Amino acid sequence: MALQINATNPEHPALLLELPWHLPLEEWPDKYLVPLPRGISRHVVRYARAGDEVVAVKELAQRPALREYELLRDLDRIGIPAVDPLAVVTGRTDPDGEPLECVLITRHLGGSMPYRSMFETTMRPATMHRLMDALAVLLVRLHLAGFAWGDCSLSNTLFRRDAGAFAAYLVDAETGDLHPELTRGQREYDLDLARVNISGELLDLEASGALHPSVDPIDFGTEICARYQELWKELTRTSVYPAGKHHYIERRIRRLNELGFDVAEMQIEHASNGDSVTFVPKVVDAGHHQRQLLRLTGLDTEENQARRLLNDLESWMATQEDYAPGDPLGARPEVLAHRWVREVFRPTVRSVPPELRGQMDPAQIYHELLEHRWYLSERAQHDIGLETAVVDYIERVLPKRREPLRPTEE
């Protein structure tokens, strides 16, 4: 059987042909590899350079490789945060003509970390809570989309900084299944697996001395269940409001948007006596603020970053003379937003020296600058301005950073 590369982009086969497919992954020469931290995997995984891209190459049998490739493509189509599938390579043989396992290739997720890399220095419990929140949100998003993961764990997840929180991405879809809708039993099975897996992973960290002494692995495994149930209830519960109180419905929708979810459609029923209204939202995947910021500015960010940047954008627009909401003669929001990107966002980010940025993306840099301005203003009891905050951030905060954000992938 000849070597075959099934790829999502016609550019990738040419780039990928340069890699040594005639060798098992464990024997690939260093010149092809990129030294990035790896998480735990039951398969051999290596990071390699293909042209200007860094890719993750996972060796596994042909059938599960093709299945996972298609599942990752499906998740990409419905907007689920997961690694980006690039190709599957089949028909590999060694120099003696002996068959080698095929490989699944995904794009490196820039700025991401496996959980074990995050525990190289003892992680504070508050940070661990944010990590569990991110994983719970990911599991809810998967379940809303009808995806049963089948192996939810820290090891099968990558984390990226998202403003003051984390965003979680699915890495391993090998055990997953996509359905039109999940039953309660399917969701609870996934959730119970997550609890057991996470508790076990944290017990391993505890045994190695990498876990904060105040952290109970069993309690943290249970925490994701409680966080999941709380979020699922908020997103799917039926609300009954007094008739005429339509703003209650709007308030509920705003609350869902603040959680990062959109309402695709609504079911509204009036009681027979006319005294109440029943509201059932159909909640869809997160990304309300991401899409709004992307539409206005062209900036593609994480959800929490987008929420913070939108707040700053709206505050800035209110100071512009041609800002007149509802006035047809005023500047359109898109025009003002692009002016903000050109005159505020980009100059501010560029003022931070590249050697001090680490792997932080522009949106994370700008978010941290806004946080620093708020901190300085609170201390000074007046607004100190963004330029002053940038200078102080560069001189006093960045040089003291001991944990730069490092990219990696499972």
Side-chain angles (χ1 to χ4, degrees):
M1 181 178 178
L3 183 75
Q4 292 186 342
I5 300 179
N6 299 320
T8 57
N9 188 313
E11 295 180 5
H12 293 135
L15 297 173
L16 298 174
L17 279 171
E18 302 171 2
L19 297 174
W21 300 120
H22 63 287
L23 297 175
L25 281 184
E26 289 182 327
E27 298 177 13
W28 277 23
D30 289 343
K31 68 177 183 177
Y32 295 104
L33 303 178
V34 179
L36 294 172
R38 297 193 301 269
I40 295 176
S41 175
R42 54 183 168 268
H43 303 288
V44 179
V45 178
R46 293 291 182 268
Y47 301 102
R49 191 170 297 281
D52 294 331
E53 285 196 293
V54 176
V55 297
V57 185
K58 180 167 72 171
E59 207 168 45
L60 69 170
Q62 179 171 333
R63 185 174 179 179
L66 291 170
R67 184 176 183 277
E68 184 170 5
Y69 176 69
E70 291 301 327
L71 277 172
L72 287 173
R73 292 187 68 185
D74 289 338
L75 293 177
D76 181 59
R77 279 192 287 268
I78 59 179
I80 294 295
V83 290
D84 187 12
L86 294 183
V88 173
V89 182
T90 58
R92 298 173 65 218
T93 57
D94 67 15
D96 296 325
E98 293 297 318
L100 297 173
E101 281 196 315
C102 80
V103 298
L104 170 68
I105 305 168
T106 56
R107 180 178 283 111
H108 165 249
L109 185 60
S112 64
M113 296 175 284
Y115 83 100
R116 282 191 170 264
S117 293
M118 302 172 71
F119 281 90
E120 285 182 354
T121 56
T122 303
M123 183 180 289
R124 293 178 301 164
T127 306
M128 288 185 62
H129 286 297
R130 294 199 296 271
L131 213 64
M132 295 302 153
D133 281 348
L135 188 51
V137 170
L138 174 61
L139 193 55
V140 166
R141 294 177 72 173
L142 291 169
H143 287 176
L144 286 171
F147 185 81
W149 195 343
D151 196 14
C152 175
S153 66
L154 293 169
S155 297
N156 290 334
T157 311
L158 288 174
F159 297 93
R160 297 171 77 177
R161 296 192 190 278
D162 178 13
F166 290 96
Y169 289 75
L170 178 145
V171 177
D172 193 332
E174 186 180 342
T175 56
D177 278 301
L178 195 57
H179 305 270
E181 187 175 344
L182 296 185
T183 65
R184 180 176 179 178
Q186 287 172 313
R187 293 192 299 104
E188 290 182 347
Y189 176 74
D190 247 4
L191 196 57
D192 195 49
L193 279 176
R195 177 185 60 79
V196 173
N197 286 341
I198 291 168
S199 293
E201 289 165 325
L202 295 181
L203 283 167
D204 285 344
L205 289 172
E206 184 179 55
S208 68
L211 200 63
H212 195 282
S214 68
V215 171
D216 185 315
I218 305 302
D219 287 347
F220 264 82
T222 305
E223 178 183 322
I224 190 173
C225 300
R227 177 66 175 120
Y228 172 96
Q229 298 291 7
E230 175 189 348
L231 186 57
W232 184 267
K233 180 180 178 181
E234 178 64 33
L235 295 174
T236 59
R237 66 181 170 87
T238 298
S239 300
V240 179
Y241 302 121
K245 301 291 186 179
H246 301 301
H247 63 283
Y248 285 7
I249 295 177
E250 181 180 351
R251 185 170 65 187
R252 174 83 191 280
I253 293 173
R254 285 178 178 271
R255 167 64 179 155
L256 294 171
N257 289 161
E258 287 171 0
L259 291 171
F261 291 82
D262 282 345
V263 177
E265 58 187 64
M266 297 173 283
Q267 177 184 337
I268 301 177
E269 296 179 359
H270 287 265
S272 57
N273 58 12
D275 289 340
S276 63
V277 174
T278 301
F279 171 64
V280 184
K282 179 182 178 183
V283 178
V284 294
D285 191 22
H288 172 78
H289 301 95
Q290 284 176 311
R291 288 188 285 274
Q292 187 178 359
L293 185 68
L294 184 63
R295 178 181 63 81
L296 287 172
T297 68
L299 297 174
D300 191 4
T301 70
E302 297 289 352
E303 178 67 10
N304 290 334
Q305 293 169 344
R307 184 183 297 112
R308 188 63 187 271
L309 267 61
L310 280 170
N311 288 339
D312 187 68
L313 169 60
E314 291 171 2
S315 298
W316 178 86
M317 287 197 300
T319 67
Q320 304 304 294
E321 293 183 358
D322 50 351
Y323 176 66
D327 185 347
L329 299 179
R332 291 185 295 114
E334 293 85 353
V335 173
L336 290 171
H338 281 282
R339 189 192 303 168
W340 173 81
V341 171
R342 186 176 63 253
E343 298 178 3
V344 180
F345 178 82
R346 285 177 182 161
T348 301
V349 170
R350 287 170 180 166
S351 65
V352 178
E355 64 272 15
L356 294 179
R357 298 178 190 177
Q359 295 295 326
M360 287 191 295
D361 59 40
Q364 183 67 22
I365 292 172
Y366 195 80
H367 158 77
E368 294 200 3
L369 289 169
L370 292 178
E371 282 286 292
H372 194 61
R373 182 181 69 178
W374 176 84
Y375 167 76
L376 294 177
S377 298
E378 283 286 298
R379 192 172 64 180
Q381 294 298 302
H382 64 83
D383 185 10
I384 57 92
L386 191 54
E387 290 185 7
T388 302
V390 169
V391 172
D392 191 79
Y393 179 78
I394 293 171
E395 292 180 353
R396 301 179 56 189
V397 177
L398 287 180
K400 298 178 182 178
R401 277 264 171 95
R402 292 185 299 175
E403 295 182 279
L405 187 61
R406 293 171 300 175
T408 187
E409 180 172 319
E410 161 74 8

